[in-house]
Amino acid sequence: MKRFNSNFKGWLFMLPAILIFSLTACSDDDDNGNGNGDAAASVTIKFDHGWGPNHLPFAINTALMHPATQEEITFTKLRYYVTNIELHKADGTVWKEDESYRIVTVEGNSSVQELTVPNVPPGEYSAVKFMIGVDEDRNTSGAQEGALSPAENMFWDWSTGYIFFKAEGMSPAAPNGQFMYHIGGFEDPHNAIRTTTIAFGEQRLNVVAASNPSIHLKVNSARFWHGGISLADVFSIHMPGPNATTIADNWIGAFRFDHLHN
Amino acid sequence: MKGYIKPSPVIILLGMLLLFACARDAKEENTNVPLYIRQPAHFPKPVYTFDNNPPTRSGFELGKRLFFDPILSLDQQVSCGTCHAASAAFADPRSTAVSKGVFGRSGLRNTPALANLIWYPHFNQDGGINHIEVQPVAPINDSLELGVGIANAVRILQNHPEYPGLFERAFDSDSVTAARILWAFAQFMGALVSDNAPIDAFHRDNKPLPEKAMRGKVIFDESCAGCHSGVLQTDFSFKNNGLNMGSNDIGRAEVTGNIQDEGRFRVPSLRNVEYTAPYMHHGQLNTLNDVIEAYSTSIAAHPNLDPNLPVGGFDFSSQQKEDLYQFLLQLSDQTFVNQSF
């Protein structure tokens, strides 16, 4: 199939078009994408991981005593999807981020992980909402890019679906000394997708042009074991099911508001 | 020299403009043409419509090269095409009961034929995979098949002397990503359309089948087509056909966790079945005549046995068996298996 007319007169006709095209084609996309021409504002969300309701220090590869179950637990991995971020205003209006898919990975000695949400329209926001997991649509529509790439290894290949979060490590409480929670499932009755709306109380996140305010959240990494679940009971989950939904219920409760920086 | 165009000032100007415009746009126009994928009139509407993955000649060629390249295996010896060869209708030409992957490792199931995949609502014999695009992740990751891992595959192809250029042609970017690998595979596999068997001529043009096969079709329609229905001979449901013969593979239950699904497998398409021996999920039956004999005399009781299948078997006469066999041969598409790749 020939797409370009090889007839020379055809080219001449296209000359003005080519001129305009060549002037604009390669310009870097420095538009902020929110369409209103303002300099972009971005919002940072900080996930500050602690241990237990008193937010004791948390780190990977460190033995910790669970405050409720009294089990000794050492994480080797903690990764989770934070997706479909929304910012809510007190009047009920909602801004939704497009293509909102990220993975939080807790690594090394750093217990604070930051996400940057670009191109947030100016306004005073009273709450943030996000999903821990991946919506059904992206679980069922084939190859995805970015944080949803199967190369992130947060993906079940033999029974299609994203692994919403992975918590792995060691514990003398587990029969084989190890625990592995790979939690996912987007279909009823084992739907493990959870969302949380975190309100800022009386405070407001002030987004103005070119600013970068931040939302500081505390994450209780001990929260997997909650509501009577101990690691000795549940130490290996590798597919959707009732155990996965229970742990998903627990983990969504790990996220709470701490403070804002405007 | 004849046909030589003198470089007029206008052409030079044009050339310069194009140089300043993004080079990749011009390149795409030159090499990447849309690929037409046949949708036979007597087939239903396809499930996969290439919505976000418009097939092109370059995308197909890239997918084809990936399919037959052992570079995506841990021992550099196995490709998708080792287990899925054109000559065996993209089943395993080595006729192994279960697949043989890297380092000669035996897999868990028999290798199915590949054809008409854009009509499939799910993949694998337990239906665990829900989309044609993500199917290749399983063999690439599986240590019993290719084992190289999808993240590794991205790196290997990115560092290869030729592949980045092929991705550039197909996707307008030489950056290799898992999604682009998978889109290329889907373009190649999606183009494997088999619609030229005698049964197609029968459906499409009312061309009668040979006499014995016509009689076989009557038996098939009565005893088999409840599951093996339509032009693909499957309704894509999961059934226990009573022929698991000691295989301890739980099939569909692997995915759902339900005991009612134990020993159920996806009803397979029977297209090109003549070329895809051995048969069933574990390769437990060697020939088509063995399959017919088993449906006739060996259907085992099982709590999940489909009620359309009589415990014991259909008890076919030898004439009926021969007729059924002749009918199954009408599902063979010789043009499809004789394609060269």
Side-chain angles (χ1 to χ4, degrees):
Chain A
M1 184 185 141
K2 251 198 280 182
R3 284 217 210 144
F4 269 148
N5 191 346
S6 53
N7 179 322
F8 187 64
K9 281 195 209 121
W11 282 96
L12 274 182
F13 266 119
M14 291 172 68
L15 198 57
I18 292 174
L19 245 172
I20 293 170
F21 171 74
S22 59
L23 286 177
T24 57
C26 292
S27 67
D28 266 345
D29 195 7
D30 46 19
D31 190 55
N32 65 29
N34 64 11
N36 59 15
D38 286 334
S42 57
V43 169
T44 298
I45 309 178
K46 293 191 182 183
F47 292 85
D48 177 356
H49 299 83
W51 186 247
N54 297 328
H55 205 72
L56 300 174
F58 172 78
I60 298 291
N61 296 323
T62 305
L64 301 158
M65 188 63 74
H66 194 277
T69 69
Q70 299 300 315
E71 292 168 316
E72 187 192 297
I73 297 170
T74 306
F75 280 74
T76 52
K77 180 176 276 176
L78 179 55
R79 288 190 97 194
Y80 52 93
Y81 273 107
V82 174
T83 70
N84 295 285
I85 295 174
E86 298 177 10
L87 287 168
H88 293 196
K89 290 185 186 165
D91 66 4
T93 54
V94 171
W95 174 80
K96 293 183 188 198
E97 189 187 29
D98 251 16
E99 276 302 306
S100 186
Y101 299 95
R102 293 180 183 76
I103 298 172
V104 169
T105 305
V106 185
E107 282 172 313
N109 290 326
S110 162
S111 58
V112 181
Q113 263 61 42
E114 296 188 4
L115 305 181
T116 301
V117 183
N119 302 325
V120 178
E124 292 203 330
Y125 296 97
S126 59
V128 61
K129 181 177 177 186
F130 54 83
M131 178 181 283
I132 298 294
V134 175
D135 46 275
E136 177 177 359
D137 181 50
R138 297 306 173 101
N139 274 286
T140 54
S141 40
Q144 305 292 322
E145 303 211 79
L148 296 178
S149 164
E152 290 290 345
N153 289 323
M154 296 285 279
F155 184 75
W156 280 306
D157 54 50
W158 54 275
S159 176
T160 310
Y162 285 92
I163 300 173
F164 302 162
F165 53 92
K166 284 185 175 180
E168 297 174 17
M170 295 162 302
S171 171
N176 61 355
Q178 307 196 329
F179 73 97
M180 190 193 86
Y181 295 162
H182 288 185
I183 308 298
F186 56 89
E187 285 169 311
D188 288 333
H190 302 307
N191 187 333
I193 299 171
R194 298 292 179 271
T195 53
T196 181
T197 304
I198 296 175
F200 311 143
E202 296 304 303
Q203 303 177 53
R204 294 291 174 264
L205 184 76
N206 234 329
V207 180
V208 295
S211 69
N212 180 17
S214 63
I215 304 167
H216 199 118
L217 304 179
K218 282 195 168 155
V219 187
N220 174 5
S221 311
R223 181 74 184 203
F224 296 103
W225 304 279
H226 175 79
I229 303 284
S230 73
L231 193 146
D233 297 333
V234 180
F235 52 89
S236 172
I237 306 174
H238 52 85
M239 65 186 286
N243 279 343
T245 51
T246 302
I247 299 289
D249 286 337
N250 284 349
W251 182 233
I252 197 68
F255 301 86
R256 63 188 168 84
F257 178 61
D258 196 53
H259 62 270
L260 301 176
H261 283 289
N262 276 314
Chain B
M1 209 202 230
K2 242 212 312 308
Y4 179 73
I5 302 171
K6 248 169 86 195
S8 78
V10 184
I11 290 188
I12 290 172
L13 177 69
L14 266 175
M16 282 170 65
L17 280 172
L18 281 173
L19 266 181
F20 284 112
C22 286
R24 54 180 214 168
D25 291 305
K27 216 174 185 180
E28 184 202 18
E29 294 297 346
N30 289 337
T31 61
N32 206 0
V33 295
L35 180 76
Y36 169 71
I37 292 177
R38 207 160 62 244
Q39 295 183 9
H42 63 300
F43 278 34
K45 275 198 159 65
V47 175
Y48 181 60
T49 49
F50 297 94
D51 276 352
N52 300 309
N53 184 26
T56 59
R57 178 49 56 186
S58 308
F60 170 89
E61 291 296 337
L62 172 59
K64 183 172 105 183
R65 177 152 174 188
L66 290 168
F67 194 89
F68 292 106
D69 195 339
I71 195 174
L72 291 185
S73 67
L74 213 49
D75 65 357
Q76 304 283 294
Q77 303 292 316
V78 184
S79 73
C80 314
T82 309
C83 299
H84 300 284
S87 61
F90 290 95
D92 198 326
R94 300 167 295 181
S95 298
T96 50
V98 294
S99 63
K100 264 205 187 326
V102 286
F103 306 114
R105 289 176 190 155
S106 288
L108 304 174
R109 292 193 178 134
N110 181 249
T111 305
L114 307 180
N116 304 328
L117 297 176
I118 63 175
W119 284 271
Y120 280 39
H122 41 61
F123 297 85
N124 282 4
Q125 292 155 88
D126 55 19
I129 296 176
N130 69 14
H131 200 286
I132 187 174
E133 288 174 5
V134 295
Q135 209 290 331
V137 184
I140 290 172
N141 283 349
D142 189 343
S143 59
L144 303 178
E145 295 187 22
L146 298 174
V148 78
I150 185 73
N152 242 338
V154 172
R155 274 191 292 275
I156 290 168
L157 297 176
Q158 188 72 72
N159 295 329
H160 189 272
E162 288 161 31
Y163 272 110
L166 301 178
F167 278 83
E168 166 84 45
R169 255 193 243 165
F171 298 112
D172 213 12
S173 162
D174 63 2
S175 141
V176 179
T177 66
R180 290 186 181 129
I181 295 173
L182 299 174
W183 287 327
F185 271 125
Q187 292 191 25
F188 172 66
M189 294 197 295
L192 301 175
V193 176
S194 169
D195 66 340
N196 207 16
I199 192 69
D200 294 302
F202 175 85
H203 282 301
R204 192 166 32 204
D205 315 320
N206 281 324
K207 186 166 180 258
L209 303 173
E211 196 190 329
K212 281 183 174 177
M214 267 329 267
R215 287 200 308 261
K217 185 173 184 304
V218 175
I219 305 166
F220 187 87
D221 286 347
E222 187 175 308
S223 305
C224 320
C227 299
H228 297 284
S229 63
V231 290
L232 302 177
Q233 302 87 39
T234 171
D235 59 3
F236 293 103
S237 63
F238 300 93
K239 296 281 160 63
N240 183 310
N241 69 352
L243 301 178
N244 291 345
M245 305 186 152
S247 148
N248 53 16
D249 188 333
I250 60 173
R252 181 66 179 159
E254 185 104 14
V255 171
T256 63
N258 296 336
I259 54 168
Q260 308 92 280
D261 288 330
E262 270 180 28
R264 289 188 194 225
F265 294 86
R266 185 218 26 223
V267 176
S269 171
L270 300 182
R271 202 161 261 281
N272 297 314
V273 73
E274 177 187 359
Y275 310 115
T276 66
Y279 300 103
M280 308 297 165
H281 69 274
H282 203 70
Q284 60 265 38
L285 293 165
N286 281 325
T287 67
L288 275 183
N289 281 318
D290 290 348
V291 171
I292 294 168
E293 189 58 36
Y295 273 113
S296 185
T297 60
S298 308
I299 295 176
H302 186 287
N304 300 333
L305 177 68
D306 190 88
N308 291 317
L309 290 169
V311 175
F314 286 102
D315 200 13
F316 295 128
S317 70
S318 49
Q319 180 68 59
Q320 287 174 311
K321 290 182 212 167
E322 172 61 15
D323 292 348
L324 259 179
Y325 177 71
Q326 290 302 325
F327 171 73
L328 293 178
L329 299 186
Q330 309 307 311
L331 310 177
S332 299
D333 178 348
Q334 290 181 9
T335 14
F336 185 76
V337 289
N338 291 333
Q339 295 172 93
S340 54
F341 282 98

